[in-house]
Amino acid sequence: MELDEITISRAILTAQMKTLIDHMELDAAVVGAGPSGLTCAALLAEKGIKVGIIEKKLSIGGGMWGGGMMFPKIVVQEEARRLLDRFHIRSTPYREGYYVAASVEAVSKLAAAACDAGAEFFNLTSVEDVMIKADGRVSGLVINWTAVEMGKLHVDPLVIGCRFTVDATGHDAVVARLVARKGGDLQVKGEGFMWADRAESRILEHTREVFPGLIVTGMAANAVAGESRMGPVFGGMLLSGEHAAELVISRMKE
Amino acid sequence: MELDEITISRAILTAQMKTLIDHMELDAAVVGAGPSGLTCAALLAEKGIKVGIIEKKLSIGGGMWGGGMMFPKIVVQEEARRLLDRFHIRSTPYREGYYVAASVEAVSKLAAAACDAGAEFFNLTSVEDVMIKADGRVSGLVINWTAVEMGKLHVDPLVIGCRFTVDATGHDAVVARLVARKGGDLQVKGEGFMWADRAESRILEHTREVFPGLIVTGMAANAVAGESRMGPVFGGMLLSGEHAAELVISRMKE
Amino acid sequence: MELDEITISRAILTAQMKTLIDHMELDAAVVGAGPSGLTCAALLAEKGIKVGIIEKKLSIGGGMWGGGMMFPKIVVQEEARRLLDRFHIRSTPYREGYYVAASVEAVSKLAAAACDAGAEFFNLTSVEDVMIKADGRVSGLVINWTAVEMGKLHVDPLVIGCRFTVDATGHDAVVARLVARKGGDLQVKGEGFMWADRAESRILEHTREVFPGLIVTGMAANAVAGESRMGPVFGGMLLSGEHAAELVISRMKE
Amino acid sequence: MELDEITISRAILTAQMKTLIDHMELDAAVVGAGPSGLTCAALLAEKGIKVGIIEKKLSIGGGMWGGGMMFPKIVVQEEARRLLDRFHIRSTPYREGYYVAASVEAVSKLAAAACDAGAEFFNLTSVEDVMIKADGRVSGLVINWTAVEMGKLHVDPLVIGCRFTVDATGHDAVVARLVARKGGDLQVKGEGFMWADRAESRILEHTREVFPGLIVTGMAANAVAGESRMGPVFGGMLLSGEHAAELVISRMKE
Amino acid sequence: MELDEITISRAILTAQMKTLIDHMELDAAVVGAGPSGLTCAALLAEKGIKVGIIEKKLSIGGGMWGGGMMFPKIVVQEEARRLLDRFHIRSTPYREGYYVAASVEAVSKLAAAACDAGAEFFNLTSVEDVMIKADGRVSGLVINWTAVEMGKLHVDPLVIGCRFTVDATGHDAVVARLVARKGGDLQVKGEGFMWADRAESRILEHTREVFPGLIVTGMAANAVAGESRMGPVFGGMLLSGEHAAELVISRMKE
Amino acid sequence: MELDEITISRAILTAQMKTLIDHMELDAAVVGAGPSGLTCAALLAEKGIKVGIIEKKLSIGGGMWGGGMMFPKIVVQEEARRLLDRFHIRSTPYREGYYVAASVEAVSKLAAAACDAGAEFFNLTSVEDVMIKADGRVSGLVINWTAVEMGKLHVDPLVIGCRFTVDATGHDAVVARLVARKGGDLQVKGEGFMWADRAESRILEHTREVFPGLIVTGMAANAVAGESRMGPVFGGMLLSGEHAAELVISRMKE
Amino acid sequence: MELDEITISRAILTAQMKTLIDHMELDAAVVGAGPSGLTCAALLAEKGIKVGIIEKKLSIGGGMWGGGMMFPKIVVQEEARRLLDRFHIRSTPYREGYYVAASVEAVSKLAAAACDAGAEFFNLTSVEDVMIKADGRVSGLVINWTAVEMGKLHVDPLVIGCRFTVDATGHDAVVARLVARKGGDLQVKGEGFMWADRAESRILEHTREVFPGLIVTGMAANAVAGESRMGPVFGGMLLSGEHAAELVISRMKE
Amino acid sequence: MELDEITISRAILTAQMKTLIDHMELDAAVVGAGPSGLTCAALLAEKGIKVGIIEKKLSIGGGMWGGGMMFPKIVVQEEARRLLDRFHIRSTPYREGYYVAASVEAVSKLAAAACDAGAEFFNLTSVEDVMIKADGRVSGLVINWTAVEMGKLHVDPLVIGCRFTVDATGHDAVVARLVARKGGDLQVKGEGFMWADRAESRILEHTREVFPGLIVTGMAANAVAGESRMGPVFGGMLLSGEHAAELVISRMKE
């Protein structure tokens, strides 16, 4: 059989267009494909929930690839080790309670798990705004190609609907800030000073629905709450992602 | 137990320094973590060969994340489907002989396989030059942080040794061009016009040792040979990565 | 009826995806939506030929909007006046044989005519390469979003097929140079000095099939031929676009 | 007759200088050549009103060329369909009440209509400031070449007079913000969250004279009022442009 | 009398348009308003010759403002001192044969002299190309706003006619290089090493008609001839400008 | 005599160093070499006052070179015509009370006059800060090379003393803003809307000592006062410069 | 012996890793390697205190290299001369009480002294944040490669512990501002106007512990206090560095 | 005594101007203040030779600050250790024949030695060209502020005379390339592949007078000769600097 370029192009267009049309209305939109977003999306999708992960960059993984100061290793504390195991990420004990893993492996395995569970990725896609109608809930996301912003092009966005939005965009807390800036009843306090122990121990309580329909997770959760900054440790982010998934699941049952 | 930031920092530094010192002399250095490089590295490492993957960007995956024109799907032809299966990348038939997979899944699964097999990743690392001594072989790589170049800093590189180097840097064929530009007996002809069928059918013969110690794979192989350009199809790249691994293995036995 | 954002987004996606799939194989691909490209496309489409216009910018019109030195007027000589009339572009005589029109009107009316005739526009789309197979003809275009290049993103292109390609990209002669640079039997000589009278009188003979399947028109035609540069006058470009259309039509009958 | 470059250059200079001198005092200055500005200008000029359209970019059309997320289609709702018909823009029903048109055709036909009606375009021209004298009305615009700003050149502006100014600059609401920033009794609240239905149903009441002599239209109207954001739908913008024209006409009769 | 902005704007437009139309055909076009260009233009205009000075920057003066290494003084040797005196530029002897003047005064007085003599300045104007017709002479200049290039705008140029062109653009020798690059029988050799004495003593012989209709002066003359580089001394440039004027005058009498 | 490069370099260094040392303490420092600064400096120096003009750019002249919208003509009203005459700037009446001059001539003649009167120019020099000691007066300027800022170099400034400082930096009112930002009892209100007649008629009263030792002139005077914006007319700026000179002279007599 | 590149690379990695691990907990972290930081670090290390100097640039020395306005000389007053002598920096009297030294020598000798005393340099390292735990003290610094910021890379930092932090970052007062911005009880008032005598005489009292664990020195001390700006004189900075060292020493004894 | 800013400024200007005037004619100009340039300059000045070091950056030290890959350590082999000792740079043996030193200490001590020996530093100064007169020797350097190039300013250079020039600009071999590019009888071959042992053993023979009056040292010597690239080891550079000094000394005796 001779390979045909036009057929290949058609295959790509047709397959992705089907994916797009199928995902214009989501149960949960996870914004940001870093450690907490990937964890949350994987666990949600495992439950059969329709999940889309919206990532502004070309690649997923967020700040995890570079480890600490470009030394590509991450550290996870005891409590979160079961999540490493669940996603088949190998780790080595450094000292009691501290486990070291390779950052490339951590990203790859989390993303692979999200794929296997059925989450769909929309990379190179930015969230410009949110949709809030009469019920006062975040019920959709106004999205655009990231390349449009990079090229400073004047191009209008499209809109996807979602029952729940999970803001997993790190300390920028992009979605929460959008809501706050346009007058939503929500304050983004910004991270405090570095204090890993406190930050890690409080993150689960900060992982919550901060505005109707909008749940924050990972560093975004702490940033909204004005909590201390997390150290170069990822356990809290994984646990927070897990907690965000639980919240969405329980809210969807209501 | 209270989490301690200094301990976490020490854990990262110590672990990565051990990795670095352990990998200053490699059996095979794979330059470029796109589809052919990841395939090659995974298959080499599976055989117990000491492999390091050197990637200039923060994230691995190369041009695969964006699919075709930012529609994140890839197409693979019949012959390469067994490699998708081997790496647990799910695919859907589009038409006889054409299989569609999600690009995020493809990157993640390939990288996860390389990690599991024992390949080590050195991301954010650029190859500035090669080491060629009296035996006329490429026997080492002159590397630096990519951030040094991005920040236009005047900082000297370090050197790692390697018995074999695999240039998997895409159509730039970075290592091959370095060798050619400095007078090595090697010509990089550059890709020809788009002609997927021809490009895919010839890639295995172009995947070869083009200079003592230097094997080219994927788009780099075709670029060196002046072969036609591959279409938006990834089968040949996976097969070429597999073939490069076989070449290194057989050469190491000599 | 209540307006629904998701429905609107689906409408846009569905409509354009249909357009894309329908136009993956064209009779004629016109590259560049300046005066000669628009004229050519309008006249081709009028004859029922399936025409796609590929324009790298967001807006069409090329260098016509700015008139001469940002004074938005264009001048057309006697011979080309009938084309102004045909496209309902109003003009005023300046002196015998010289007619002045408004540049915004000229662009709008040409584009409107192309639309009405059935030509389809693909703006924000760049041509990265051409497809040339065993028959040695330009039989397809390798395209990508212009935004990919602007954002310096590493994203692969797609391919569309076309029986004939019209290079209407101005003095850059983008497609012709791509062919020449990769070794096609074609030389792009570049424009000569300014000499309007000569340039205008020779343009029709330079409007020709310079490589199997590739016709050049407008400033691209003169640039390939090494002809004198045209002055700030647009008659020759319109006439050249008309001639390119005639060539395609007659070649399609063969 | 031999074509003469100097004559051509003189023709352009002379013609445009006449246009400039003739339009130093306008009945209505429409700032921004997007959908609402073009609609408003076309309808005003049809009534014999002296209209100048000031557009900062080289090309007119604003954000319309790129459709939604670079898919060049626009959607218009039932109420605005008669304006599509009026300007000969073809549309296809997607679902009851939603009509899809091609964005290139929409821009071209609107601009062609404005030209035919007698509106004059001043592209590549930015509004730096407004003229407000003793009567407290916006009675002129302080304009400069956009290229002056792009080149960061220190060059002074000129001034054109206008009885009415229509701010059709989209959500930037450029003129309104200029007035507000310098202390005029006017507040620009900025767009709210996305809520297409509400935004479209309120736009006509927001299309009004917000400061003596200054009428806002299209997205600028909603941005001044702090109204919800419009979705990727253009009906409201066309209707708002029509309403702005009606307001100017009725105010000019006073 | 009340000042009226519209009248002021009209006055500027009308006056400059008259100047432009009057100067579309020049006896001599001097390109570059540095020391040799200003000297040449002043002396030509004094003889009643119609001179236009085309300067790409906003301000005239070229490299003279900054003196040597930003110390705003210039040095002139004995032979050229009479030209300083002629233009009322005060100087102080440093040592026998070396006179020091202030650079701001030197520029201002040269420009004032050119104005008084009747030369017309076209600043912010770049030369993009030359016009060469059947007689093989440089008979016109293809000009554009410098801002067009700075803003990377796609805008076409206009053309002015000139019997003689003086290239006074410094070591870039802009016009000469344009002619050479497009195939004119002219070679631009580029400046040699620094050797002030030789460069100054040879400049008058290099100030000559290097191509029909094109005279080079100042550093452009030495750059075309491959002559040694001039030191931070301006005498030769003034004398060369004077000589260029004499050449134009004598050629015009032919 | 043979020209010697080292002697030339020594001549420049020696001459400028003498100028610098001689001008480390000024009677009046005029900051900004636009129309009002040049007028003020020329008139001050004529009276034997030691004046230094500090200009951040390489060339002097400010916004005057470009006329209005790059049409290099300026307009001056009746009242200021005597200043044109005084500086030998030729003008042509456009209509009663409006005189047009060429902008290049205007800059050159003003600068030539300032030189002849004995003012010293320090171009390429920026004012970073002011010196204010126990007496609460601006008694010196903290200056640096403009190139230091352009190159983002970390280099400390030097200080020159001055009895009076004239801020002639246009609507930026650089010195006044420095004083205000650091807590001096001075408010810079910023220009109002365009209203030439009012702006021109009030400028003389705004030209005053706004802080001990600091006089504002030209657009800086109106900007500090929150006055209307001046149109493209230069009379008020010349008159304001004259008035600033008178103020300094009378204050120095105290 | 044959030189081996891999051994050299291992030597560098091993040596620096040992240095890093040894210095993860410091007695005193001096941020900024300008004159006050170097003085402070040298004097602390002489006492056997474990000191790390964190410098964001590649080279140390701060603003000292460029002297005043790129004239590489510095001036020191009488009181500080003994510190010049102590560090073997030669100086020449200019006038009574003013001593001139070469800036390159001053930087080199200060740095050499700090090295000899045992201080360790961490250049190319930025401080992103501080660590403040339950005791409310600055007890650590959150650091990253400066190249990470320059390359706009998303890479997480590491943390080093320190009993005392000395902010010697000049008028930016980087650490103090970080503390203030995140809500620490500390106000950074910013430098006042230039008044060298006052600034120099007050600097010692401003050199103090402004927040638990954080001492400010040099220009940072004056910037925090809102003190007058120092002239181009370095005595106060050296004396302030000395005083900061004394403060740390006395506080460590507590 | 009260500190006076004007006196300080005068002290800096006067002192540096004296230095400049005194050094307009040098015995030896060393271009580049990296390891070989500093070594050469220190050893030359020790012999009473008048040496100026011209460094384009603000700080001296070249590529030495960053060690290898930003790990600030350098390695020196056995042969060069005596030079470390001579300049009081402490080192630690890593393995037999390999010594490790801190890079900040190495730079500081070399620079301090050059200062103590009497060499004068001209930092922020670029070499634009060379002076070559009738005798065909490099007899001077055409210099300018580096900031002029950074700010893209059009400012002329000055010239300093020198009997010998030492090109110590690293692999760019700036001066040698200037000579070669302008036609001097000299070829710069560029570095070969990395091969530390060979590069180090050949560097002394490549350290030679490559053109009358021009000696190359350090990496510049190897780059001119086309020699292998040196590893991250500094011994050869120090030895080469020593050898260059010996060559200049012996040549000066001729």
Side-chain angles (χ1 to χ4, degrees), chain F:
Chain F
M1 190 198 76
E2 198 173 315
L3 263 184
D4 176 47
E5 291 84 350
I6 317 299
T7 304
I8 299 166
S9 298
R10 273 212 183 92
I12 290 172
L13 275 176
T14 308
Q16 183 63 11
M17 202 45 52
K18 185 176 178 321
T19 302
L20 279 171
I21 296 291
D22 283 358
H23 288 78
M24 290 302 286
E25 283 172 293
L26 298 167
D27 290 333
V30 177
V31 187
S36 51
L38 290 171
T39 302
C40 177
L43 298 178
L44 282 172
E46 269 184 15
K47 297 288 183 190
I49 289 170
K50 189 178 207 168
V51 181
I53 303 172
I54 297 169
E55 168 57 47
K56 71 175 177 187
K57 295 209 173 149
L58 181 55
S59 58
I60 53 90
M64 217 179 196
W65 296 103
M69 279 183 76
M70 313 198 307
F71 299 111
K73 292 286 188 288
I74 63 165
V75 171
V76 165
Q77 60 269 52
E78 193 67 53
E79 297 85 327
R81 205 185 150 199
R82 68 174 163 79
L83 283 168
L84 289 189
D85 292 347
R86 176 173 191 157
F87 295 119
H88 310 295
I89 301 164
R90 295 163 306 166
S91 61
T92 316
Y94 169 72
R95 180 178 296 189
E96 203 192 319
Y98 296 84
Y99 298 85
V100 179
S103 62
V104 173
E105 178 171 348
V107 179
S108 307
K109 298 281 179 73
L110 282 172
C115 291
D116 282 340
E120 199 67 44
F121 284 86
F122 299 93
N123 54 346
L124 276 175
T125 304
S126 295
V127 173
E128 276 190 18
D129 204 347
V130 296
M131 179 165 75
I132 298 180
K133 297 196 177 179
D135 61 2
R137 301 185 80 249
V138 173
S139 57
L141 297 173
V142 182
I143 60 170
N144 214 332
W145 293 114
T146 302
V148 161
E149 189 192 351
M150 292 170 102
K152 288 179 189 160
L153 296 167
H154 185 175
V155 171
D156 283 329
L158 292 178
V159 181
I160 59 169
C162 46
R163 290 175 62 192
F164 288 93
T165 297
V166 179
D167 185 344
T169 59
H171 65 80
D172 289 339
V174 171
V175 185
R177 277 186 211 272
L178 271 171
V179 171
R181 199 176 58 226
K182 285 204 165 176
D185 180 16
L186 167 61
Q187 195 193 344
V188 179
K189 295 182 182 162
E191 284 182 339
F193 298 111
M194 168 70 70
W195 183 2
D197 194 63
R198 184 186 160 106
E200 296 282 328
S201 66
R202 299 282 174 85
I203 193 169
L204 291 197
E205 70 189 76
H206 299 315
T207 303
R208 60 187 191 82
E209 189 170 1
V210 291
F211 188 88
L214 177 63
I215 287 148
V216 289
T217 185
M219 278 191 283
N222 278 8
V224 168
E227 184 51 80
S228 295
R229 183 167 170 172
M230 287 181 278
V233 58
F234 282 81
M237 278 187 273
L238 302 178
L239 295 165
S240 168
E242 182 187 44
H243 189 49
E246 290 161 359
L247 282 175
V248 171
I249 291 164
S250 79
R251 292 282 285 107
M252 285 185 68
K253 289 181 182 153
E254 290 171 16

Side-chain angles (χ1 to χ4, degrees), chain B residues 2-6 8-10 12-14 17 20-25 58 124 131 133 139-140 145-148 150-155 157-162, chain G residues 2-6 8-10 12-14 17 20-25 58 124 131 133 139-140 145-148 150-155 157-162:
Chain B
E2 199 173 315
L3 264 184
D4 176 48
E5 292 83 351
I6 316 299
I8 300 166
S9 298
R10 273 212 182 93
I12 290 172
L13 275 175
T14 307
M17 201 47 51
L20 279 169
I21 294 291
D22 284 356
H23 289 78
M24 290 302 285
E25 283 171 292
L58 181 54
L124 275 175
M131 180 165 74
K133 297 196 177 180
S139 56
W145 293 113
T146 301
V148 161
M150 292 171 102
K152 289 180 189 161
L153 296 166
H154 185 174
V155 172
L158 292 177
V159 180
I160 59 169
C162 46
Chain G
E2 197 173 317
L3 264 183
D4 176 48
E5 292 83 351
I6 316 298
I8 299 166
S9 298
R10 274 214 182 90
I12 290 173
L13 275 176
T14 307
M17 201 46 51
L20 279 170
I21 295 291
D22 284 356
H23 289 78
M24 290 302 285
E25 281 172 293
L58 181 55
L124 275 175
M131 178 165 75
K133 297 195 176 180
S139 57
W145 294 113
T146 302
V148 161
M150 292 169 103
K152 288 179 189 159
L153 295 167
H154 185 176
V155 172
L158 292 178
V159 181
I160 59 168
C162 46

Side-chain angles (χ1 to χ4, degrees), chain H residues 19-69:
Chain H
T19 301
L20 279 170
I21 295 291
D22 284 356
H23 289 79
M24 289 302 285
E25 282 172 292
L26 299 166
D27 291 332
V30 176
V31 186
S36 52
L38 289 171
T39 302
C40 176
L43 298 179
L44 282 173
E46 271 184 13
K47 298 289 181 189
I49 288 170
K50 190 179 207 168
V51 181
I53 303 172
I54 296 170
E55 167 57 46
K56 74 177 174 187
K57 294 210 173 148
L58 181 54
S59 59
I60 53 90
M64 216 179 195
W65 297 103
M69 277 183 76

Side-chain angles (χ1 to χ4, degrees), chain E residues 160-243:
Chain E
I160 59 168
C162 46
R163 290 176 61 191
F164 288 92
T165 297
V166 179
D167 185 343
T169 61
H171 64 80
D172 289 338
V174 170
V175 185
R177 278 186 210 272
L178 271 172
V179 170
R181 199 176 58 226
K182 285 204 166 176
D185 180 16
L186 167 62
Q187 194 193 345
V188 179
K189 295 183 182 161
E191 285 182 339
F193 299 112
M194 169 70 71
W195 184 1
D197 194 61
R198 183 184 161 105
E200 295 282 328
S201 66
R202 299 282 173 89
I203 193 170
L204 291 197
E205 67 189 76
H206 298 317
T207 303
R208 60 185 192 84
E209 188 171 1
V210 292
F211 188 89
L214 177 63
I215 287 149
V216 289
T217 184
M219 278 191 282
N222 277 7
V224 168
E227 185 50 82
S228 296
R229 183 168 169 170
M230 288 181 277
V233 59
F234 282 82
M237 279 188 271
L238 302 178
L239 294 166
S240 169
E242 182 186 43
H243 190 50

